């Protein structure tokens, strides 16, 4: 199953990012977690031909995540205004006897019904975060301004764009790198076996799977799926 601990899944997001950026960052800072090892190898390979003093193996930096105050603040904000709601919601399902997180099929149904909503709301959170103004704080160093503007127009803040272009050979091979060294997140985050089961049970194709936009509709489908799959089993 896809997981943020799977280095191949994590690396796919990195590949998609640099393709959209049409470049690679000068340095990628990460902690020492094993989920970052594929990103490390891909990034150092893509930076090996740029010839600057931080190219190649110097383009990947390992350190403690707690030393990154900006990202720690983001995680704290995310937990308070986003993650905690979903934790409470799923705990309520457990308390009401609707979810047993020890039963794999229940977790598959949760992913199938709620992952689209979670992703949509996470995208909304990201949009808000990237458009809010970072203000100066006492005893903390760092730039101030709106993250999206800081990223796209660094010269307005006397900053420098430290990304490096993807060379022609890299552009050609990037899809091949992605194919060999990364994994895609499956449809609705579910296993192939579960998706096949839902297709058979509902006599539909996965292309036609609904994308839920409200918690209420997702919960109705969750109840229906659990009931239907229990009958099949």
């Amino acid at each position: 199953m896809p997981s943020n601990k799977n280095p191949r899944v994590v690396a796919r997001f990195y590949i998609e990012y640099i393709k959209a950026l049409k470049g690679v960052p000068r340095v990628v800072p990460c902690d020492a977690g094993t989920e970052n090892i594929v990103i490390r190898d891909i990034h150092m390979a893509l930076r090996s031909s740029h010839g600057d003093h931080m190219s190649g193996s110097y383009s990947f930096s390992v350190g403690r995540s707690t030393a990154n105050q900006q990202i720690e603040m983001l995680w704290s904000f995310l937990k308070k205004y986003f993650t905690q709601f979903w934790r409470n919601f799923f705990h309520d399902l457990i308390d009401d006897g609707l979810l047993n997180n020890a039963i794999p099929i229940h977790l598959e149904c949760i992913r199938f019904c709620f992952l689209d909503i979670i992703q949509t709301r996470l995208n909304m959170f990201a949009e808000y975060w990237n458009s809010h103004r970072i203000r100066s704080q006492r005893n903390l160093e760092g730039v101030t301004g709106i993250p999206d503007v800081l990223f796209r127009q660094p010269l307005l803040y006397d900053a420098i764009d430290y990304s490096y272009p993807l060379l022609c050979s890299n552009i050609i091979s990037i899809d091949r790198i992605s194919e060999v060294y990364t994994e895609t997140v499956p449809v609705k985050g579910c296993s192939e076996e579960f998706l096949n089961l839902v297709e058979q049970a509902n006599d539909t194709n996965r292309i036609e799977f609904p994308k839920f936009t409200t918690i209420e509709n997702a919960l109705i489908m969750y109840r229906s799926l659990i009931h239907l799959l229990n009958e099949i089993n």
Side-chain angles (χ1 to χ4, degrees):
M1 288 307 302
S3 167
N4 60 359
K5 297 298 183 182
N6 183 339
R8 293 173 60 86
V9 171
V10 176
R12 174 57 69 99
F13 291 110
Y14 167 81
I15 290 291
E16 291 176 353
Y17 167 74
I18 63 173
K19 287 177 67 175
L21 182 66
K22 296 182 174 61
V24 289
R26 181 178 68 164
V27 177
V28 171
C30 289
D31 60 28
T34 57
E35 68 272 14
N36 300 317
I37 58 176
V38 176
I39 288 180
R40 176 199 63 199
D41 294 343
I42 294 175
H43 182 74
M44 289 193 300
L46 292 176
R47 284 279 284 117
S48 63
S49 302
H50 289 121
D52 60 284
H53 71 286
M54 298 193 74
S55 61
S57 61
Y58 295 103
S59 65
F60 189 87
S61 172
V62 177
R64 294 187 307 163
S65 60
T66 53
N68 189 333
Q69 294 176 330
Q70 289 86 355
I71 199 65
E72 289 299 312
M73 182 175 68
L74 171 60
W75 295 148
S76 175
F77 198 86
L78 183 68
K79 178 180 179 181
K80 181 178 180 180
Y81 293 101
F82 183 85
T83 310
Q84 195 60 51
F85 167 82
W86 289 104
R87 285 182 175 177
N88 293 340
F89 177 77
F90 292 128
H91 275 302
D92 287 344
L93 292 185
I94 293 173
D95 292 340
D96 292 340
L98 296 174
L99 169 63
N100 185 335
N101 58 1
I103 300 178
I105 198 72
H106 281 209
L107 299 180
E108 293 274 24
C109 289
I110 286 291
R111 296 187 191 101
F112 184 88
C113 296
F114 291 98
L115 197 59
D116 286 334
I117 298 177
I118 292 174
Q119 185 62 63
T120 297
R121 297 195 176 185
L122 193 58
N123 292 343
M124 293 170 61
F125 175 87
E127 184 177 348
Y128 165 77
W129 184 265
N130 289 333
S131 60
H132 89 291
R133 181 173 296 277
I134 301 174
R135 304 186 185 280
S136 59
Q137 299 184 49
R138 186 178 301 176
N139 300 325
L140 287 179
E141 295 184 2
V143 296
T144 61
I146 298 172
D148 266 343
V149 180
L150 287 166
F151 179 75
R152 301 182 187 282
Q153 297 180 295
L155 294 179
L156 293 178
Y157 298 88
D158 295 323
I160 300 173
D161 181 357
Y162 283 106
S163 65
Y164 284 77
L166 280 171
L167 304 180
C168 291
S169 58
N170 288 335
I171 295 174
I172 295 172
S173 62
I174 196 70
D175 288 333
R176 177 59 178 165
I177 292 173
S178 181
E179 178 184 343
V180 174
Y181 296 104
T182 74
E183 295 178 17
T184 59
V185 176
V187 176
K188 292 184 175 291
C190 298
S191 67
E192 189 68 20
E193 181 182 7
F194 178 81
L195 294 175
N196 290 336
L197 186 60
V198 174
E199 284 181 322
Q200 295 172 11
N202 288 281
D203 192 25
T204 185
N205 188 284
R206 66 190 61 185
I207 298 176
E208 302 169 341
F209 285 163
K211 184 174 183 179
F212 304 106
T213 57
T214 68
I215 293 177
E216 292 75 18
N217 289 341
L219 187 56
I220 291 172
M221 175 56 77
Y222 173 76
R223 291 172 181 267
S224 299
L225 268 181
I226 291 293
H227 178 72
L228 180 62
L229 295 176
N230 283 339
E231 285 189 339
I232 293 176
N233 294 330

